[in-house]
Amino acid sequence: MRILVTGGSGFIGSHLCETFSSRSEVTGTYHRHMPGEGTARWEKADLLDTAALERLVDRVTPDVVIHCAAKADDWGEPAEFQRINVGGTENVLRAAREAGARRVVHVGTEAALMAGQPLHRVN
């Protein structure tokens, strides 16, 4: 099985790349800095560069896309979060569909908060 992990260099994505690469062909994406050693193949990707993203997904031809890439900063302009997190996700979905991926799994950063403990009084 071929798996593409967007945001493969992040906290959740890096663990997914490590876990799945023992039994699948895994390509992880990074935005700024290529991760160090590991068994996944690495590709630089920008969620907002639609044409480059489509070429990447076409080249990888994944069966499954696990989408972990996002702007996850503590602070910033709401429009920037919208542009990257919503627009970028739309681009990933479109590229995955056009490349014939059977599944897309979207993972949010909330999964990494508070060591899995319930979040109370969070807005």
Side-chain angles (χ1 to χ4, degrees):
M1 178 182 329
R2 288 180 309 278
I3 300 173
L4 174 65
V5 180
T6 67
S9 62
F11 178 76
I12 295 171
S14 64
H15 286 81
L16 291 171
C17 286
E18 181 73 22
T19 298
F20 288 120
S21 63
S22 66
R23 58 186 177 268
S24 297
E25 183 182 319
V26 176
T27 300
T29 70
Y30 66 96
H31 182 66
R32 290 188 187 102
H33 307 289
M34 188 166 121
E37 306 260 334
T39 52
R41 189 175 91 199
W42 294 103
E43 296 276 349
K44 188 168 185 164
D46 180 346
L47 299 182
L48 300 177
D49 185 342
T50 307
L53 184 62
E54 288 174 356
R55 284 192 304 273
L56 168 64
V57 177
D58 236 16
R59 190 171 60 250
V60 172
T61 61
D63 300 300
V64 176
V65 175
I66 303 175
H67 178 47
C68 302
K71 180 173 178 63
D73 298 330
D74 292 332
W75 306 103
E77 292 295 320
E80 185 72 359
F81 282 92
Q82 176 81 17
R83 193 169 71 88
I84 294 170
N85 295 345
V86 176
T89 298
E90 290 171 346
N91 292 342
V92 169
L93 291 170
R94 187 178 313 104
R97 182 175 42 250
E98 289 176 7
R102 293 189 322 233
R103 295 271 188 269
V104 175
V105 178
H106 184 239
V107 179
T109 58
E110 293 78 18
L113 296 174
M114 301 293 292
Q117 300 301 310
L119 300 175
H120 299 282
R121 298 185 195 149
V122 175
N123 61 23

